[in-house]
Amino acid sequence: MEGIYPIIWDGTTLKLLDQRVLPEEERYVECHTLDDVRECIKKMVVRGAPAIGVTAAFGLILAAREFMGDFTRFEEKQGAFSFSKFQAKLKSAGNNLKETRPTAVNLSWGVERIINKSQNLNEASPSLIIRELEQEAKAIFEEDIAVNKKIGEWGAKLIGDNYTVLTHCNAGALATAGYGTALGVIRSAFYQGKKIMVYADETRPFLQGSRLTAWELQKEGIPVSLIVDGAAGYHIHKGDVNCIIVGADRIAANGDVANKIGTYSLAVLAKENNVPFYVAAPLSTVDMSVNSGKEIVVEERDPEEITKLRGLPLSPPGINVKNPAFDITPAYLVTALITECGILYFPNEEKMKQLVPKRR
Ligand code: MRU
């Protein structure tokens, strides 16, 4: 894969490729503290469900270091490092991170992995605790890339030669630690030598499709045509599209899928026109604690994402705006879920129950 590095951990600082300014600029924002990481997730310097899960894990390492500094200064000198106080602070930092973006469950998952790791370290010295937690964050990063490649391998089986694949938002290397989920499938098929063409929805209002997906694919020489969101139906109805592949932010216990706003409309179009609708996601995106999509909290974002473009007004002042960032696609519209464990056709509650124990 052509060098795309959305998240770089150098052992001290977390560097995030600023996804607000791509494709014009490739610049990194440096995070030194928990607050830096919070801001970057909130403002979408980093975005995409798996990427924010990995970022949150590293954010907790920065937080843990800050707390250890406090303890070392005030308590360890007297030999009074308190593991329980440390852990309480870590948990509160984790909760703080979870609040930044409520829909993508990978964020909570990344936080919980670090918190769970810390549970077994109550006998360890402060420096060993930090080392072990950092190892866990690095493992989360590495595993995400490995899992994406597995998703890619499975998913590529569904892509025929000369296929035109439509995708929405950005579920690529930029949305993960690297490689991507939906774009991982497209990458794998392309690397196998299949001739494919991608239609990328521009994905209003943040324009993940035109700014990020188009950039990623073009960088790798994967043929891509950018279309406005409203053109998807036209192309699907005309028979230009062989299948649709999207990522997911949260998948409920019954197989309902939360993903970028506009996904549900695509799934309905797919059904109406007999086009397969695939969702590619790691098992860390499955949340068995929500029974159906109805229980998933959909993030509502700043109206200015819609009313302004880079500071320029696009609509009359004072206009009412609704800006849900995600929507819910019912499981019955999903032809198959592609995970690291294989292809699950027509997901439902029973099949999801069998799938999830396979996760790490
Ligand atoms: O608001 P975003 O850009 O974070 O939304 C991203 C998506 O909806 C992606 O499709 C999803 O997170 C999967 S990314 C592998």
Side-chain angles (χ1 to χ4, degrees):
M1 192 186 80
E2 192 56 42
I4 300 174
Y5 305 104
I7 302 166
I8 299 174
W9 172 252
D10 67 7
T12 318
T13 308
L14 184 66
K15 296 183 180 116
L16 300 170
L17 183 58
D18 191 343
Q19 302 195 26
R20 298 166 307 175
V21 297
L22 281 170
E24 297 101 297
E25 265 186 77
E26 284 180 49
R27 80 166 176 232
Y28 282 84
V29 175
E30 291 197 355
C31 299
H32 303 278
T33 64
L34 173 70
D35 281 347
D36 294 343
V37 174
R38 276 194 91 229
E39 280 309 290
C40 281
I41 297 177
K42 248 185 142 145
K43 295 192 171 144
M44 291 172 67
V45 168
V46 60
R47 32 68 48 202
I52 58 179
V54 172
T55 300
F58 283 116
L60 280 187
I61 309 310
L62 293 173
R65 282 192 183 150
E66 287 174 54
F67 305 153
M68 284 301 186
D70 293 346
F71 285 123
T72 317
R73 272 196 296 282
F74 302 120
E75 295 181 37
E76 205 184 24
K77 267 187 266 161
Q78 291 94 40
F81 166 69
S82 157
F83 180 79
S84 58
K85 278 193 204 160
F86 166 76
Q87 219 193 16
K89 282 190 163 210
L90 197 67
K91 279 187 183 158
S92 138
N95 290 337
N96 202 266
L97 280 168
K98 284 182 195 174
E99 283 162 11
T100 52
R101 296 202 70 196
T103 307
V105 75
N106 307 62
L107 178 52
S108 306
W109 180 85
V111 164
E112 286 310 321
R113 272 214 28 195
I114 298 294
I115 304 286
N116 288 342
K117 180 77 189 182
S118 75
Q119 320 273 30
N120 310 322
L121 296 169
N122 53 338
E123 301 287 312
S125 66
S127 54
L128 183 62
I129 295 176
I130 297 289
R131 268 206 310 280
E132 290 285 317
L133 296 186
E134 184 185 0
Q135 275 314 111
E136 186 69 358
K138 286 176 166 172
I140 294 172
F141 178 96
E142 299 295 342
E143 282 166 27
D144 187 55
I145 297 177
V147 157
N148 288 338
K149 290 189 173 163
K150 277 252 160 275
I151 292 173
E153 269 170 43
W154 284 111
K157 296 179 200 289
L158 300 169
I159 312 290
D161 204 16
N162 290 310
Y163 259 35
T164 295
V165 182
L166 188 142
T167 190
H168 189 64
C169 193
N170 172 268
L174 290 167
T176 59
Y179 206 75
T181 57
L183 291 196
V185 170
I186 288 167
R187 276 201 165 91
S188 295
F190 180 74
Y191 296 159
Q192 287 171 2
K194 288 176 185 161
K195 269 180 75 187
I196 50 175
M197 156 63 117
V198 180
Y199 280 2
D201 273 0
E202 67 171 350
T203 319
R204 280 274 293 155
F206 195 72
L207 302 173
Q208 289 94 331
S210 58
R211 295 189 307 99
L212 309 177
T213 294
W215 177 77
E216 258 195 69
L217 295 176
Q218 201 181 51
K219 208 169 160 73
E220 274 207 84
I222 301 176
V224 54
S225 292
L226 181 62
I227 60 171
V228 298
D229 299 338
Y234 167 74
H235 288 292
I236 293 167
H237 185 63
K238 218 154 68 74
D240 295 345
V241 174
N242 297 98
C243 68
I244 298 171
I245 307 183
V246 297
D249 284 81
R250 195 183 290 233
I251 301 173
N254 69 345
D256 289 355
V257 173
N259 191 50
K260 180 53 52 194
I261 192 78
T263 302
Y264 168 63
S265 321
L266 285 177
V268 173
L269 282 167
K271 185 83 165 175
E272 167 73 13
N273 292 281
N274 283 317
V275 169
F277 181 82
Y278 300 126
V279 175
L283 290 181
S284 55
T285 303
V286 177
D287 181 0
M288 294 302 276
S289 76
V290 295
N291 295 315
S292 80
K294 289 199 182 92
E295 293 169 29
I296 298 176
V297 176
V298 170
E299 177 187 5
E300 182 80 28
R301 289 190 63 84
D302 189 341
E304 287 206 352
E305 287 184 350
I306 294 182
T307 58
K308 290 194 176 158
L309 189 65
R310 305 245 155 113
L312 288 177
L314 295 176
S315 46
I319 191 78
N320 279 332
V321 171
K322 296 217 177 294
N323 186 16
F326 303 97
D327 61 23
I328 309 295
T329 299
Y332 66 83
L333 293 176
V334 177
T335 310
L337 212 57
I338 310 162
T339 74
E340 63 270 37
C341 292
I343 301 167
L344 182 83
Y345 285 95
F346 308 110
N348 60 26
E349 205 179 318
E350 263 325 291
K351 293 180 188 174
M352 294 300 293
K353 264 193 211 139
Q354 285 164 26
L355 179 70
V356 167
K358 295 183 185 160
R359 112 171 124 195
R360 184 187 179 279

